[in-house]
Amino acid sequence: MSATTTSVHGKAASEPAVAGSRPGSAMQQEVTRLLPGPLLAIILAVLCAVVLIPIFYIFLASVNTDIGVAGGEFWPSSFSLENYTKIWSSVGLAKGLANSVLVAGATAVVSAAMSVSTAYVLVRYQFLGRLTILRGLLALQSVPGTLMVLPVFVLFSSAASYLGVQVIGTQWGLFITYLTFAMPFSTWVMVTYLRGLPRELEEAARIDGASNLGVLTRIILPLSWPGIVVSGIFAFLLGWNDVLFASVMTRPDSQTAAVALQIFGASQEGGAIPMYGQMMAASLVCAAPVVILYLIFQRYLVGGLTAGGVK
């Protein structure tokens, strides 16, 4: 009788606890949610509209006629892909895209590869000047690139006089310029990422006889792909979107896609009816590689950007 009473009372006592845990978890979800559900949905819809409506208009203008775009038509009266075929001859986009892919891609690969080894030394080893280098990497991010145009141009142009090496107007000269600005940021991203990797894995590899290079190539590199992808993509964007340095450091045969778009847009000023359709089509074509890059490496980007946030 007592056992039955105890079991009944125990069951009755446990039921309120279980029943009480559900409102608690629901209340916790409501507390952790920053905004109410309907308001959050409205804000997200507005933000998506702000981003997607201009892109949708650019696409509609790219398949519209120049007269239709100039007349203020939002929805084209007739759809045509003729603008996408004309841009390769009028804008000179093929050569510009090839130069952009070559220079920006090389900058991304070299910057990501060098930043891993540099960050590994800065994180795992103690030496004189280590903190100074880390603070210098952070300080370099606050220097505007506009202030560096003239010093970089003078330095590279003087190389032809003193060293007999032509740097201005070459693709590798633009590559060195982008690499100079991409390395500090890429190294800082990798420093933040490598700080979150456990040292026990490296110690176990050293016990098995792995050298410093073996630890870097067999342990650090496979675990650092999210950080490597983040640093590489940001270095790629630096070279892909730049107009200022590319305008100064290139010639017509080595100009990038961004410079080709700028020249084409400037040539349309003062005309009777600018080639709006071709400008919109060229803009979408130049933006497509970056969008595809983000879609391919999206899962690595999320892991790399959030690395180091939790210790």
Side-chain angles (χ1 to χ4, degrees):
M1 181 67 180
S2 60
T4 305
T5 306
T6 304
S7 62
V8 171
H9 285 290
K11 183 178 181 181
S14 62
E15 285 179 352
V18 175
S21 63
R22 292 177 181 176
S25 60
M27 185 179 298
Q28 184 178 3
Q29 292 178 359
E30 292 294 332
V31 172
T32 54
R33 180 181 294 175
L34 186 61
L35 295 174
L39 181 59
L40 183 62
I42 293 174
I43 293 177
L44 290 177
V46 171
L47 292 177
C48 290
V50 169
V51 175
L52 295 178
I53 289 178
I55 297 177
F56 185 62
Y57 173 74
I58 292 175
F59 171 74
L60 292 178
S62 67
V63 296
N64 197 357
T65 60
D66 298 330
I67 299 177
V69 178
E73 291 183 357
F74 182 81
W75 192 264
S77 57
S78 61
F79 291 85
S80 176
L81 298 177
E82 187 179 3
N83 293 321
Y84 287 93
T85 59
K86 290 181 178 179
I87 57 176
W88 305 106
S89 58
S90 59
V91 184
L93 204 57
K95 186 64 175 179
L97 284 174
N99 291 330
S100 293
V101 170
L102 179 61
V103 175
T107 303
V109 172
V110 175
S111 176
M114 294 179 62
S115 62
V116 175
S117 56
T118 305
Y120 179 72
V121 173
L122 292 174
V123 171
R124 292 294 189 255
Y125 295 94
Q126 299 291 334
F127 54 91
L128 184 63
R130 172 178 170 272
L131 292 178
T132 303
I133 295 175
L134 290 173
R135 292 167 183 169
L137 292 175
L138 189 60
L140 287 174
Q141 304 304 314
S142 61
V143 179
T146 309
L147 299 179
M148 302 300 296
V149 174
L150 184 59
V152 170
F153 179 79
V154 172
L155 178 64
F156 285 177
S157 61
S158 61
S161 303
Y162 295 101
L163 302 177
V165 178
Q166 183 65 34
V167 181
I168 302 296
T170 61
Q171 295 174 341
W172 66 270
L174 191 61
F175 160 73
I176 294 176
T177 304
Y178 292 154
L179 186 63
T180 304
F181 292 98
M183 273 297 297
F185 180 80
S186 298
T187 304
W188 188 258
V189 169
M190 293 308 304
V191 165
T192 305
Y193 189 86
L194 293 182
R195 282 175 177 173
L197 295 182
R199 294 176 178 265
E200 289 77 8
L201 297 175
E202 303 173 33
E203 294 174 357
R206 294 184 188 279
I207 292 175
D208 293 338
S211 61
N212 293 333
L213 183 60
V215 171
L216 180 61
T217 55
R218 298 179 182 179
I219 304 298
I220 300 300
L221 284 180
L223 296 176
S224 302
W225 275 114
I228 294 173
V229 170
V230 170
S231 61
I233 286 181
F234 275 94
F236 181 86
L237 290 178
L238 174 66
W240 188 268
N241 296 329
D242 175 70
V243 178
L244 184 61
F245 285 93
S247 301
V248 177
M249 302 290 295
T250 59
R251 295 176 178 175
D253 59 337
S254 60
Q255 65 185 13
T256 60
V259 179
L261 281 178
Q262 182 193 35
I263 295 175
F264 180 72
S267 64
Q268 301 301 311
E269 297 179 359
I273 300 179
M275 299 179 183
Y276 293 114
Q278 295 186 37
M279 285 191 287
M280 299 300 181
S283 300
L284 288 179
V285 170
C286 291
V290 179
V291 175
I292 295 173
L293 198 66
Y294 269 103
L295 292 177
I296 294 175
F297 297 104
Q298 182 180 8
R299 63 190 185 96
Y300 292 105
L301 283 171
V302 174
L305 289 174
T306 56
V310 179
K311 293 294 184 180

